[in-house]
Amino acid sequence: LCPCLIYGAYIFLPFDAPLLPTVSARLVYTLRCAAFATFPIVLGMIVSAISRLCSSALEPFGELHQEVEIHRTYISQSIHLFILYFFNMAVLATYLPQELLKLIPLLTGLFAISRLIFWTSYAIGRSYRAFGFSMTFLPLLAMLLWNLYGMFVLEPENLLS
């Protein structure tokens, strides 16, 4: 489903990436796009704080209720995946040709949407969370494989420079 979503958005969404000739410009562009991917994490922190305040726990640092634990687990997993996603997108932006830089905001949007889907399905039941997790993890795995391919096969002479 992820390749179909990315391909459809790439073809049908009417925007293009700005002209980014240097590596530093591409990294700044990736950093700015990645700021939008933090939205689901910040939203999760807000909901977690509200659920903790509304919780019927007598001790604030005591045993957490299930509804509070769901949000805390979601935030923790999302932060870990965001770090991996961001670093892979930054490396990907250095290898992509100019005409494919439109993928950076599309991958950012896919990350944000898939984390929200994961959060919703995780709140419904733990057995339903595989779809949202796979929508986050499989594009991450594809980016990692492409980055390794780019580093070791396409440009092995520029591996560390």
Short mmCIF file of all heavy atoms in Angstrom, two decimals, residues 6-18 20 26 29 33 89 92-93 96-109:
data_model
loop_
_atom_site.label_atom_id
_atom_site.label_comp_id
_atom_site.label_asym_id
_atom_site.label_seq_id
_atom_site.Cartn_x
_atom_site.Cartn_y
_atom_site.Cartn_z
N ILE A 6 2.59 6.55 -2.18
CA ILE A 6 3.66 7.47 -2.54
C ILE A 6 3.62 7.79 -4.05
O ILE A 6 3.75 8.94 -4.46
CB ILE A 6 5.04 6.89 -2.13
CG1 ILE A 6 5.16 6.83 -0.62
CG2 ILE A 6 6.18 7.69 -2.73
CD1 ILE A 6 5.23 8.18 0.05
N TYR A 7 3.42 6.76 -4.86
CA TYR A 7 3.37 6.97 -6.31
C TYR A 7 2.18 7.85 -6.70
O TYR A 7 2.31 8.78 -7.50
CB TYR A 7 3.30 5.63 -7.04
CG TYR A 7 3.22 5.78 -8.54
CD1 TYR A 7 4.35 6.14 -9.27
CD2 TYR A 7 2.02 5.60 -9.22
CE1 TYR A 7 4.29 6.30 -10.65
CE2 TYR A 7 1.94 5.74 -10.58
CZ TYR A 7 3.08 6.10 -11.30
OH TYR A 7 3.00 6.26 -12.66
N GLY A 8 1.01 7.57 -6.13
CA GLY A 8 -0.17 8.38 -6.43
C GLY A 8 0.01 9.83 -6.00
O GLY A 8 -0.36 10.75 -6.73
N ALA A 9 0.57 10.04 -4.82
CA ALA A 9 0.81 11.41 -4.36
C ALA A 9 1.86 12.09 -5.22
O ALA A 9 1.76 13.28 -5.51
CB ALA A 9 1.25 11.39 -2.89
N TYR A 10 2.88 11.34 -5.64
CA TYR A 10 3.93 11.92 -6.48
C TYR A 10 3.37 12.38 -7.83
O TYR A 10 3.74 13.43 -8.34
CB TYR A 10 5.05 10.89 -6.70
CG TYR A 10 6.24 11.42 -7.43
CD1 TYR A 10 7.23 12.12 -6.76
CD2 TYR A 10 6.37 11.23 -8.81
CE1 TYR A 10 8.33 12.63 -7.44
CE2 TYR A 10 7.46 11.74 -9.49
CZ TYR A 10 8.44 12.42 -8.81
OH TYR A 10 9.52 12.93 -9.47
N ILE A 11 2.49 11.60 -8.38
CA ILE A 11 1.93 11.93 -9.69
C ILE A 11 0.84 13.00 -9.61
O ILE A 11 0.82 13.94 -10.40
CB ILE A 11 1.35 10.65 -10.37
CG1 ILE A 11 2.47 9.64 -10.63
CG2 ILE A 11 0.59 10.97 -11.65
CD1 ILE A 11 3.53 10.12 -11.59
N PHE A 12 -0.05 12.90 -8.63
CA PHE A 12 -1.26 13.72 -8.64
C PHE A 12 -1.20 14.98 -7.78
O PHE A 12 -2.02 15.87 -7.96
CB PHE A 12 -2.47 12.88 -8.23
CG PHE A 12 -2.78 11.80 -9.22
CD1 PHE A 12 -2.65 10.46 -8.87
CD2 PHE A 12 -3.17 12.10 -10.52
CE1 PHE A 12 -2.93 9.46 -9.78
CE2 PHE A 12 -3.44 11.11 -11.43
CZ PHE A 12 -3.31 9.78 -11.07
N LEU A 13 -0.29 15.09 -6.83
CA LEU A 13 -0.23 16.31 -6.02
C LEU A 13 0.51 17.40 -6.79
O LEU A 13 1.62 17.18 -7.28
CB LEU A 13 0.45 16.05 -4.67
CG LEU A 13 -0.39 15.24 -3.68
CD1 LEU A 13 0.39 15.02 -2.39
CD2 LEU A 13 -1.71 15.91 -3.39
N PRO A 14 -0.08 18.58 -6.86
CA PRO A 14 0.47 19.63 -7.74
C PRO A 14 1.53 20.50 -7.06
O PRO A 14 1.34 21.69 -6.86
CB PRO A 14 -0.77 20.45 -8.09
CG PRO A 14 -1.63 20.34 -6.87
CD PRO A 14 -1.39 18.96 -6.34
N PHE A 15 2.65 19.93 -6.69
CA PHE A 15 3.76 20.74 -6.18
C PHE A 15 5.06 20.10 -6.63
O PHE A 15 5.12 18.93 -6.95
CB PHE A 15 3.70 20.87 -4.65
CG PHE A 15 4.13 19.64 -3.91
CD1 PHE A 15 5.45 19.47 -3.52
CD2 PHE A 15 3.22 18.64 -3.59
CE1 PHE A 15 5.85 18.33 -2.83
CE2 PHE A 15 3.61 17.51 -2.91
CZ PHE A 15 4.94 17.35 -2.53
N ASP A 16 6.08 20.90 -6.65
CA ASP A 16 7.41 20.42 -6.99
C ASP A 16 8.38 20.91 -5.91
O ASP A 16 8.14 21.92 -5.26
CB ASP A 16 7.87 20.95 -8.35
CG ASP A 16 7.16 20.27 -9.51
OD1 ASP A 16 6.92 19.05 -9.40
OD2 ASP A 16 6.86 20.95 -10.50
N ALA A 17 9.44 20.17 -5.75
CA ALA A 17 10.47 20.59 -4.81
C ALA A 17 11.21 21.79 -5.39
O ALA A 17 11.39 21.89 -6.60
CB ALA A 17 11.44 19.44 -4.54
N PRO A 18 11.64 22.71 -4.53
CA PRO A 18 12.42 23.84 -5.04
C PRO A 18 13.77 23.38 -5.57
O PRO A 18 14.22 22.27 -5.26
CB PRO A 18 12.58 24.74 -3.81
CG PRO A 18 12.39 23.84 -2.64
CD PRO A 18 11.45 22.77 -3.09
N LEU A 20 17.34 22.72 -5.52
CA LEU A 20 18.28 22.54 -4.41
C LEU A 20 19.58 21.96 -4.97
O LEU A 20 19.78 20.75 -4.98
CB LEU A 20 17.68 21.60 -3.36
CG LEU A 20 16.35 22.04 -2.76
CD1 LEU A 20 15.71 20.92 -1.98
CD2 LEU A 20 16.55 23.25 -1.89
N ARG A 26 19.77 20.85 0.46
CA ARG A 26 18.92 19.65 0.56
C ARG A 26 18.72 19.23 2.01
O ARG A 26 17.62 18.81 2.39
CB ARG A 26 19.55 18.50 -0.23
CG ARG A 26 19.49 18.71 -1.71
CD ARG A 26 20.28 17.66 -2.44
NE ARG A 26 20.20 17.89 -3.87
CZ ARG A 26 19.86 16.96 -4.74
NH1 ARG A 26 19.62 15.74 -4.35
NH2 ARG A 26 19.80 17.25 -6.01
N TYR A 29 16.24 21.62 3.59
CA TYR A 29 14.91 21.27 3.10
C TYR A 29 14.36 20.04 3.83
O TYR A 29 13.20 20.01 4.25
CB TYR A 29 14.99 21.01 1.59
CG TYR A 29 13.69 20.64 0.93
CD1 TYR A 29 12.66 21.55 0.82
CD2 TYR A 29 13.51 19.38 0.37
CE1 TYR A 29 11.47 21.22 0.19
CE2 TYR A 29 12.34 19.03 -0.27
CZ TYR A 29 11.32 19.97 -0.35
OH TYR A 29 10.15 19.63 -0.97
N CYS A 33 11.11 19.86 6.33
CA CYS A 33 10.03 18.88 6.12
C CYS A 33 9.85 18.00 7.36
O CYS A 33 8.73 17.66 7.72
CB CYS A 33 10.33 18.02 4.90
SG CYS A 33 10.15 18.86 3.33
N MET A 89 16.09 9.98 5.88
CA MET A 89 15.65 10.98 4.90
C MET A 89 16.77 11.97 4.59
O MET A 89 16.91 12.42 3.45
CB MET A 89 14.42 11.72 5.40
CG MET A 89 13.15 11.04 5.07
SD MET A 89 11.67 12.07 5.15
CE MET A 89 11.97 13.18 6.46
N LEU A 92 19.05 10.20 2.31
CA LEU A 92 18.34 10.02 1.04
C LEU A 92 18.34 11.31 0.22
O LEU A 92 18.51 11.28 -1.00
CB LEU A 92 16.91 9.55 1.30
CG LEU A 92 16.03 9.26 0.09
CD1 LEU A 92 16.55 8.04 -0.66
CD2 LEU A 92 14.61 9.05 0.53
N ALA A 93 18.17 12.44 0.88
CA ALA A 93 18.14 13.72 0.17
C ALA A 93 19.46 14.04 -0.51
O ALA A 93 19.49 14.76 -1.51
CB ALA A 93 17.78 14.84 1.14
N LEU A 96 19.31 11.63 -3.90
CA LEU A 96 18.24 11.74 -4.89
C LEU A 96 18.55 12.80 -5.95
O LEU A 96 19.10 13.86 -5.63
CB LEU A 96 16.92 12.13 -4.20
CG LEU A 96 16.21 11.07 -3.40
CD1 LEU A 96 14.97 11.65 -2.76
CD2 LEU A 96 15.83 9.90 -4.28
N PRO A 97 18.19 12.54 -7.19
CA PRO A 97 18.30 13.60 -8.20
C PRO A 97 17.24 14.68 -7.94
O PRO A 97 16.26 14.45 -7.22
CB PRO A 97 18.06 12.87 -9.52
CG PRO A 97 17.49 11.56 -9.18
CD PRO A 97 17.80 11.27 -7.75
N GLN A 98 17.45 15.85 -8.52
CA GLN A 98 16.58 17.00 -8.27
C GLN A 98 15.10 16.69 -8.55
O GLN A 98 14.23 17.08 -7.78
CB GLN A 98 17.05 18.19 -9.12
CG GLN A 98 16.15 19.41 -9.06
CD GLN A 98 16.08 20.02 -7.69
OE1 GLN A 98 17.08 20.11 -6.99
NE2 GLN A 98 14.89 20.44 -7.27
N GLU A 99 14.82 15.96 -9.61
CA GLU A 99 13.41 15.71 -9.97
C GLU A 99 12.71 14.77 -8.99
O GLU A 99 11.49 14.71 -8.96
CB GLU A 99 13.28 15.18 -11.40
CG GLU A 99 14.03 13.91 -11.69
CD GLU A 99 15.47 14.12 -12.13
OE1 GLU A 99 15.93 15.27 -12.18
OE2 GLU A 99 16.15 13.12 -12.39
N LEU A 100 13.46 14.03 -8.18
CA LEU A 100 12.85 13.12 -7.20
C LEU A 100 12.83 13.68 -5.78
O LEU A 100 12.38 13.00 -4.86
CB LEU A 100 13.60 11.78 -7.19
CG LEU A 100 13.48 10.94 -8.46
CD1 LEU A 100 14.30 9.67 -8.32
CD2 LEU A 100 12.03 10.62 -8.76
N LEU A 101 13.26 14.92 -5.59
CA LEU A 101 13.25 15.51 -4.25
C LEU A 101 11.83 15.75 -3.72
O LEU A 101 11.65 16.03 -2.54
CB LEU A 101 14.05 16.81 -4.22
CG LEU A 101 15.55 16.63 -4.17
CD1 LEU A 101 16.24 17.98 -4.23
CD2 LEU A 101 15.97 15.87 -2.94
N LYS A 102 10.86 15.62 -4.58
CA LYS A 102 9.47 15.72 -4.16
C LYS A 102 9.11 14.59 -3.19
O LYS A 102 8.16 14.68 -2.42
CB LYS A 102 8.57 15.68 -5.39
CG LYS A 102 7.11 15.87 -5.15
CD LYS A 102 6.35 15.86 -6.47
CE LYS A 102 4.87 16.01 -6.28
NZ LYS A 102 4.14 16.00 -7.54
N LEU A 103 9.91 13.53 -3.19
CA LEU A 103 9.66 12.40 -2.29
C LEU A 103 9.88 12.75 -0.81
O LEU A 103 9.28 12.13 0.06
CB LEU A 103 10.56 11.22 -2.66
CG LEU A 103 10.23 10.49 -3.94
CD1 LEU A 103 11.28 9.45 -4.26
CD2 LEU A 103 8.86 9.85 -3.84
N ILE A 104 10.73 13.73 -0.53
CA ILE A 104 11.03 14.06 0.86
C ILE A 104 9.78 14.52 1.61
O ILE A 104 9.45 13.97 2.67
CB ILE A 104 12.18 15.10 0.94
CG1 ILE A 104 13.45 14.52 0.33
CG2 ILE A 104 12.41 15.56 2.36
CD1 ILE A 104 14.01 13.31 1.02
N PRO A 105 9.01 15.52 1.12
CA PRO A 105 7.78 15.87 1.85
C PRO A 105 6.72 14.77 1.80
O PRO A 105 5.93 14.63 2.74
CB PRO A 105 7.30 17.15 1.18
CG PRO A 105 8.00 17.22 -0.10
CD PRO A 105 9.27 16.45 0.03
N LEU A 106 6.71 13.97 0.73
CA LEU A 106 5.74 12.88 0.66
C LEU A 106 6.04 11.80 1.70
O LEU A 106 5.13 11.28 2.34
CB LEU A 106 5.72 12.27 -0.74
CG LEU A 106 5.23 13.18 -1.86
CD1 LEU A 106 5.33 12.49 -3.20
CD2 LEU A 106 3.83 13.67 -1.59
N LEU A 107 7.31 11.48 1.89
CA LEU A 107 7.69 10.51 2.92
C LEU A 107 7.42 11.06 4.31
O LEU A 107 7.05 10.31 5.22
CB LEU A 107 9.16 10.12 2.76
CG LEU A 107 9.47 9.22 1.56
CD1 LEU A 107 10.97 9.12 1.34
CD2 LEU A 107 8.85 7.85 1.75
N THR A 108 7.60 12.36 4.49
CA THR A 108 7.29 12.98 5.76
C THR A 108 5.80 12.88 6.07
O THR A 108 5.40 12.54 7.17
CB THR A 108 7.74 14.45 5.76
OG1 THR A 108 9.13 14.51 5.48
CG2 THR A 108 7.45 15.12 7.08
N GLY A 109 4.99 13.18 5.07
CA GLY A 109 3.54 13.06 5.25
C GLY A 109 3.11 11.63 5.51
O GLY A 109 2.23 11.38 6.34
#
